[in-house]
Amino acid sequence: MREAMFWEAAGDGRVRCGLCRFGCLIAPGKRGRCGVRENRDGTLHTLVYGKCIAEHVDPIEKKPLFHFHPGSRSYSIATVGCNFRCLHCQNYEISQWPHEHRAIPGSDLSPEAVVDAALRSDCISIAYTYTEPTIYFEYAYATAVLARRAGLKNVFVTNGYTSTAALEMIAPYLDAANVDLKAFSERFYREVTGATLAGVLACLQDYRRLGIWLEVTTLVIPGWNDDPDELRRLAGHIANELGREVPWHVSAFHPTYRMLDRPATPAGTLQRAAAIGGEAGLQNVYVGNLPVAGGEDTRCPRCGAVVIRRSGFRLMALEVHEGRCRFCGGGIAGTGF
């Protein structure tokens, strides 16, 4: 436990947290929405600094980040906790732990130890993932600074609700992010996650403005966010507000946690979503969580040739050199890092 960043006194012993876009007002002895930031005697503390609940060596494609150092390995870490309450969370055992238990679990793993483990594992990056990296910001920030000094990259896999001030602080050390744009309706965000669409869209603009390589993922849930008109608005927003080159991953939903009443996403729904992305002008649209022929391949936007062929999380062919297509020399966005 240590003092948190991004907070201010709010009178009567309360504190206002400014780490994410919820801006929690926290009474003495209470915790914020994330469950891992606690007001102790008028000072906000983080309860998860150095308390790692998960660590793995993953292919960068698992994040998913398809244009950021394709085929590389990323040392992935997380603590418990999340500021969202997604009904369909696939990692709910650790993300929602603090809402069901008082104690904070995790193995002691210092930022120095994370960087050392990443180097020994032949990783080129550290991924802050599995839960929401914003809620363990102090831990992630300290690790990211050390990682950069050691020649490693840093990536966030995030719900996109970090405050502008916090994102601006870590931006010099953050190389890439995959941000969930879970739907394109306030109703979905309110009822399924407890957050707001507007907050996520503002955060996405911050990522773009700060020059962090960005990829976007939408888990397509039957009956919730699979309406073609909504998908058109979502894809159009990415193309027009973030950039046509920004990769969009449309992924299959499988029933889990508190959303067991919905069926798994059919392959046809994902193929339709991918087609909508192409019609919106997006250059890089990928199908995930279901085997769809060619759905994970990267094509050159100039000549149409397959320049990165994937199977699952494995790289089968790489026809990109210094960020350009080997066949025609056209640029492949993001791959020139």
Side-chain angles (χ1 to χ4, degrees):
M1 187 183 70
R2 64 175 57 197
E3 184 174 341
M5 302 167 71
F6 300 103
W7 68 275
E8 60 183 9
D12 298 325
R14 300 173 300 171
V15 299
R16 174 75 69 181
C17 181
L19 180 60
C20 85
R21 292 171 193 265
F22 282 112
C24 293
L25 182 64
I26 308 172
K30 301 298 183 180
R31 297 178 183 179
R33 182 181 177 86
C34 61
V36 297
R37 297 167 77 77
E38 184 174 304
N39 179 352
R40 295 199 174 182
D41 300 320
T43 299
L44 188 63
H45 289 80
T46 171
L47 308 179
V48 290
Y49 189 95
K51 302 292 287 185
C52 188
I53 196 65
E55 54 174 325
H56 300 283
V57 175
D58 289 331
I60 195 68
E61 285 77 14
K62 190 176 180 180
K63 300 303 106 188
L65 284 166
F66 276 17
H67 288 236
F68 183 77
H69 294 279
S72 67
R73 291 149 59 95
S74 188
Y75 199 83
S76 303
I77 64 168
T79 72
V80 297
C82 186
N83 53 349
F84 278 22
R85 305 286 181 87
C86 297
L87 301 180
H88 58 295
C89 181
Q90 64 178 0
N91 290 325
Y92 66 91
E93 296 97 335
I94 55 176
S95 70
Q96 302 304 309
W97 175 279
H99 305 302
E100 300 173 3
H101 309 274
R102 187 67 182 173
I104 300 295
S107 301
D108 291 335
L109 191 70
S110 69
E112 292 82 1
V114 174
V115 171
D116 182 63
L119 293 170
R120 286 188 287 104
S121 301
D122 196 28
C123 295
I124 71 162
S125 64
I126 295 174
Y128 309 87
T129 179
Y130 303 136
T131 58
E132 172 51 45
T134 305
I135 62 94
Y136 55 93
F137 183 90
E138 294 82 3
Y139 185 27
Y141 179 78
T143 304
V145 171
L146 293 177
R148 177 59 60 83
R149 291 175 187 167
L152 295 167
K153 307 290 186 180
N154 295 288
V155 302
F156 266 17
V157 181
T158 173
N159 59 31
Y161 227 60
T162 315
S163 69
T164 296
L167 196 54
E168 286 177 343
M169 174 173 278
I170 202 169
Y173 308 97
L174 190 59
D175 299 282
N178 186 294
V179 178
D180 282 345
L181 182 50
K182 298 177 185 290
F184 212 67
S185 76
E186 288 291 357
R187 174 176 174 264
F188 179 100
Y189 267 93
R190 180 178 65 254
E191 297 184 14
V192 177
T193 77
T196 68
L197 171 62
V200 176
L201 297 183
C203 191
L204 283 165
Q205 289 292 347
D206 282 343
Y207 271 101
R208 200 65 172 138
R209 172 177 59 83
L210 293 168
I212 299 162
W213 173 252
L214 178 65
E215 303 194 19
V216 174
T217 293
T218 302
L219 190 74
V220 182
I221 307 173
W224 263 114
N225 63 354
D226 61 341
D227 179 77
D229 288 338
E230 181 177 340
L231 291 171
R232 288 189 190 97
R233 293 195 303 273
L234 193 157
H237 182 87
I238 297 172
N240 298 323
E241 301 297 328
L242 302 178
R244 295 173 59 205
E245 74 282 3
V246 172
W248 185 35
H249 302 261
V250 289
S251 299
F253 162 81
H254 298 284
T256 188
Y257 191 36
R258 295 180 178 174
M259 194 177 282
L260 301 174
D261 61 332
R262 302 286 169 166
T265 314
T269 299
L270 293 188
Q271 290 171 315
R272 181 180 63 189
I276 287 171
E279 292 164 4
L282 293 174
Q283 297 173 352
N284 305 290
V285 183
Y286 301 105
V287 173
N289 289 351
L290 271 181
V292 173
E296 297 176 309
D297 294 342
T298 299
R299 291 185 175 273
C300 173
R302 177 191 285 181
C303 71
V306 174
V307 291
I308 308 176
R309 192 179 301 280
R310 302 176 181 86
S311 178
F313 301 131
R314 293 178 298 149
L315 213 63
M316 309 304 291
L318 180 62
E319 301 293 346
V320 179
H321 179 65
E322 295 182 349
R324 297 198 167 272
C325 169
R326 289 187 183 273
F327 303 107
C328 75
I332 310 299
T335 62
F337 285 99

